[in-house]
Amino acid sequence: MAKTMTAEQKLKYMTETPLPRLILSLSIPTIISMLISSFYNMADTYFVGRIGSASASGAVGVVFPLMSIMQAVGFMFGHGSGNHMSRALGAGRTEDAQIMAATGFVSAFIAGLLIMTAGLTASRPLVYLLGSTPTIAPYAQQYIRFLMPGVPFLISSLVLNNQLRFQGSAFYGMIGISTGAVLNIGLDPLFIFGLNLGVAGAALATSISQFVSFVILLLMTRRGANICIRLKAFSPSLRNFAEIFRGGIPSLARQGLNSLATVCLNLAAGGYGDAAIAAMSIVSRVMMMTISAIIGFGQGFQPVCGFNYGARLYGRVRSAFWFCVRLCFCVLVVLAVVAGIFAPQIIRLFLANDADVQRIGTLALRLQCVCLPLFSFNCIANMMLQTMGIAGRATLLAVARQGLFFIPAVLLLEKLLGLLGVQLAQPVSDLLSFALSVPITLAVLQELKRKEATAA
């Protein structure tokens, strides 16, 4: 997309460009952003694992739910404001989109300040609440203390990135996210080993990188035909917050339950030692990296869905959905086969000197690969419903995978099958989530078909 494109040209581009070319052009930057983000999320796991301590590696896994909460807040304000912006721009309401951009951004930054304050003042009880063991707790506290100063910038960066993406400008978001990610990967070994900061160095690297991403993303909103953040447009009205919550609650629920699910996973695995927590943490990060490309592809689909739904081009929404599902399913089949075959080598990459971690992690990774391709339908369906503003059903699908099904599965299966139950919980949840999402999504697609016939 040309950098000098006007708002009118962008609307025409989003509603008239052939769908495969349009979706791929928007998805490539978001896929790159997600992959790089996953790499730098895993960088802490990898470099901390080089310390050679299962307790240190477990600390990264224990703090991961807290990271999920931060992401949940950022995604709520980012997706909530971004969804509304894409529909408003598709309908030609530019001023409405400007107000929503400022309101989502400022609200997220304030929320980040509150989370930072709470994390700094209550780090010790917090790590135990997150599922830490006494041996993991000191490492987890170090990590949290150095992570907290970057929280307002992390949350605000997620908002800016998503607002750019929903405007069809994912390339600009990719620049900001990727720069911070590459910087984090470079700073991790410097701080952890070069300055001998250990786990604290990993968190400090993350905080600095998030600040850099924040600055770059803020500058990117002033490029092209994007809506830049103007503080005077901040309008904290009930109507605007209602719109943000309507589009963002599914993301908040999804990410928030990811956090709770990880806590439950840590608690369930904790009975089998630090090695089990470390192994399941590694598997979770690996699987997140594996599905990050699909999430990125779905994020490229969302502005297409939003613009065309706002323009009442319902046939293009349906066609775009099925194109994404088919392509993502094929990609996940390939990734599942590769990850299943090379599972021992993948786990060994993160903690090579612990046989228990390798044994537990290898089986868990292979079990999760079995149902991995089903994530393609679940992910794209959830993104479509959320972008269209169908909040109730979108929220139900959002909470299904890591909340409605995973939490009961990990608690129940652990009681019945022990450690194997912990390893089986995610694939069982993925299967049940797919069974739930199919009838809900097909009903929405049928409604779009009826609207298309009526409009014709």
Side-chain angles (χ1 to χ4, degrees), residues 46 49-50 52-53 57 282 344-358:
Y46 174 79
R50 299 300 93 187
S53 166
S57 295
I282 291 170
Q345 291 83 357
I346 292 171
I347 302 300
R348 194 177 302 124
L349 182 67
F350 293 94
L351 203 59
N353 62 348
D354 195 308
D356 287 336
V357 171
Q358 294 172 30

Side-chain angles (χ1 to χ4, degrees), residues 8 75 92 111 156 164 166 177 190 195 207 219 223 240 316 319 331 344 375 388:
E8 292 77 14
F75 285 142
S156 301
L164 286 168
F166 276 104
I177 294 296
L190 173 63
L195 299 181
S207 291
L219 293 174
R223 301 293 300 273
N240 288 334
R316 279 175 64 84
S319 298
V331 170
F375 181 77
M388 290 166 57

Side-chain angles (χ1 to χ4, degrees), residues 98-368:
Q98 291 173 338
I99 292 173
M100 189 57 68
T103 304
F105 170 79
V106 174
S107 301
F109 195 86
I110 294 172
L113 290 174
L114 295 174
I115 293 174
M116 178 189 73
T117 303
L120 288 173
T121 56
S123 62
R124 180 173 176 78
L126 184 58
V127 298
Y128 285 103
L129 183 64
L130 293 172
S132 179
T133 64
T135 50
I136 288 176
Y139 295 102
Q141 280 186 261
Q142 290 180 42
Y143 195 92
I144 286 178
R145 287 169 184 164
F146 282 84
L147 182 69
M148 285 298 108
V151 170
F153 305 106
L154 164 63
I155 293 176
S156 301
S157 294
L158 291 172
V159 174
L160 293 171
N161 180 45
N162 280 289
Q163 288 181 352
L164 286 168
R165 179 170 60 82
F166 276 104
Q167 293 175 74
S169 298
F171 176 77
Y172 294 109
M174 180 192 72
I175 293 174
I177 294 296
S178 300
T179 302
V182 172
L183 179 62
N184 193 18
I185 292 172
L187 291 178
D188 262 343
L190 173 63
F191 289 169
I192 295 172
F193 305 112
L195 299 181
N196 200 31
L197 294 176
V199 173
L204 180 60
T206 299
S207 291
I208 293 173
S209 302
Q210 290 301 336
F211 176 75
V212 172
S213 286
F214 169 81
V215 173
I216 294 174
L217 286 165
L218 200 58
L219 293 174
M220 290 298 104
T221 63
R222 299 181 176 275
R223 301 293 300 273
N226 294 311
I227 293 173
C228 63
I229 302 298
R230 293 186 172 89
L231 296 182
K232 64 180 181 181
F234 175 57
S235 178
S237 66
L238 289 177
R239 173 188 171 275
N240 288 334
F241 281 128
E243 278 298 305
I244 289 175
F245 294 149
R246 186 162 74 100
I249 284 296
S251 295
L252 178 66
R254 178 171 56 247
Q255 288 297 125
L257 283 170
N258 281 346
S259 176
L260 181 58
T262 306
V263 171
C264 292
L265 180 63
N266 290 335
L267 291 172
Y272 304 93
D274 289 0
I277 294 179
M280 296 309 298
S281 172
I282 291 170
V283 171
S284 296
R285 295 296 180 98
V286 170
M287 292 305 294
M288 188 64 233
M289 186 179 69
T290 303
I291 66 176
S292 62
I294 304 306
I295 296 173
F297 195 85
Q299 290 177 345
F301 158 73
Q302 282 186 295
V304 178
C305 177
F307 269 82
N308 286 278
Y309 186 76
R312 301 175 184 250
L313 299 174
Y314 305 119
R316 279 175 64 84
V317 175
R318 291 172 56 247
S319 298
F321 170 81
W322 285 117
F323 170 76
C324 292
V325 169
R326 287 193 294 268
L327 184 58
C328 291
F329 181 83
C330 294
V331 170
L332 282 183
V333 168
V334 174
L335 291 177
V337 171
V338 172
I341 292 173
F342 295 102
Q345 291 83 357
I346 292 171
I347 302 300
R348 194 177 302 124
L349 182 67
F350 293 94
L351 203 59
N353 62 348
D354 195 308
D356 287 336
V357 171
Q358 294 172 30
R359 173 179 54 81
I360 296 168
T362 296
L363 178 57
L365 181 56
R366 283 176 169 164
L367 289 172
Q368 292 192 28

